[in-house]
Amino acid sequence: MNAVGGQDGSSVPDEEWERFLRESAQGAAGAPKEPSARAREVAGRLRDTPRARGVAGRLRDTSRARGVAGRLRDTREAPPVWRAHTPPRPRRRTARAVAGLLAVCALLLLALFPDRLLGWFDGDGATSGGAPLAAETARPDQAPAVEEARRPTLDEPFKGSPAARWASGTEGITVPAAKATGWMDQAEVSRALSRTRDFLAAANLDPAVLRGERPQTAIALINPHQSDVRKTLAAAFPAPGGKPPGAEDDPLLLFSRFDTRAVRLVGDDIRTRGRLSYEKGKDGALEVTADVTFVYPVTRAAADGEEEVVRTIVRRELVLSWDDPEQVETEPGTFSLLSYAVDITNGGCGRDADTGLLRPEFAAERSASADDGTPAVDPYDRSRPVDKSAGVSADGECGTVTRS
């Protein structure tokens, strides 16, 4: 192989020359490579992008030529992306926490003072006295809570009374489920319970009877062969010009009737609360017990610009016997009256007030001192037995009540 001369005329060995040619063709190890035009273009775009400036700065900082001082300086000028990110603000829960605290306080106050809080609202029913009461299925163990003293009005005649939460009319009289008892099967018991409630309505809710008329529908449900009761009814409703009824045959013992010359009912809403119960009686009869309180709001018949509203409260307890016609003389669809008791609040008092009609008193007519030495009673307290004195003391005067 020919030798190639150097600048000084010396020759280069063939082996060295071949190695030089091979490395020139393949590229020497460790020699820097020139980036392509595409790579330079992409790198330029990345440097111009704000989010990439931090990355580019870091790449520059790692070069050996600039050193540690350059890295620190570039980091301050363009922080890395993870350090430059602003975290979201934490959610503000102050308002939610305050609302929760207020709700807890409200529930606590409602549990401690339910009647006081419910009394803040005006109106009857679910507003003034709270939600309507559930049906009464047994004698309660205590009297209703004392309501805030509030004067009733023509628009809200039950304001300030437990009756604001009672049902109206026959809806307030609970009728139990019927089952075969004594001589009656289930259907007959159901019919007898329904007719018992009909009697209570005819005697205490019928508008004509409340105006003082004869309770013909109610009387028709009483066994006509029960001679003692028939005698009492005849004396209670004498013929025109006949002898007025006395205390023993006062129609108020069984029927609610008002003196319309003095008072009138406020609307047609009469609140009731009570229940029926039944059991097997004598000779297989169906014995039904009724215990019901009626609340009547009234005002003066002639208001004369004054519209004072008062309430008359009547609680009745009756025991009826639906007799087996094979054992007792009776008529179909009628009952025998075994016992009755009545407790009347603000219906008129005094020996000369036995007119067979309810005549409530208003503020100007009440005695200056209501304390007659007798214990005061709550006419809304259904946990106690019916006061069989009819709300009248031994001398014929009214007893003392805690509210009306």
Side-chain angles (χ1 to χ4, degrees), residues 243-294:
K243 180 182 177 181
E248 293 183 356
D249 40 44
D250 189 341
L252 293 179
L253 296 175
L254 283 173
F255 311 101
S256 296
R257 307 163 71 236
F258 286 87
D259 186 351
T260 56
R261 297 168 299 177
V263 298
R264 62 180 176 86
L265 288 169
V266 178
D268 56 0
D269 187 4
I270 298 170
R271 297 296 172 91
T272 59
R273 185 158 182 82
R275 67 194 183 279
L276 304 182
S277 59
Y278 65 92
E279 62 183 356
K280 181 179 179 180
K282 184 179 179 180
D283 296 328
L286 177 70
E287 190 171 295
V288 180
T289 299
D291 183 355
V292 183
T293 300
F294 303 85

Side-chain angles (χ1 to χ4, degrees), residues 119-144:
W120 288 350
F121 300 94
D122 292 328
D124 293 334
T127 54
S128 67
L133 293 178
E136 181 180 289
T137 58
R139 176 170 292 181
D141 55 5
Q142 61 183 356

Side-chain angles (χ1 to χ4, degrees), residues 180-185 280 284-286:
T181 304
W183 72 279
M184 289 184 168
D185 59 24
K280 181 179 179 180
L286 177 70

Side-chain angles (χ1 to χ4, degrees), residues 102-118 120:
L102 292 177
V104 172
C105 293
L107 292 175
L108 181 60
L109 290 175
L110 183 61
L112 295 177
F113 309 103
D115 301 299
R116 179 70 59 83
L117 292 178
L118 293 174
W120 288 350

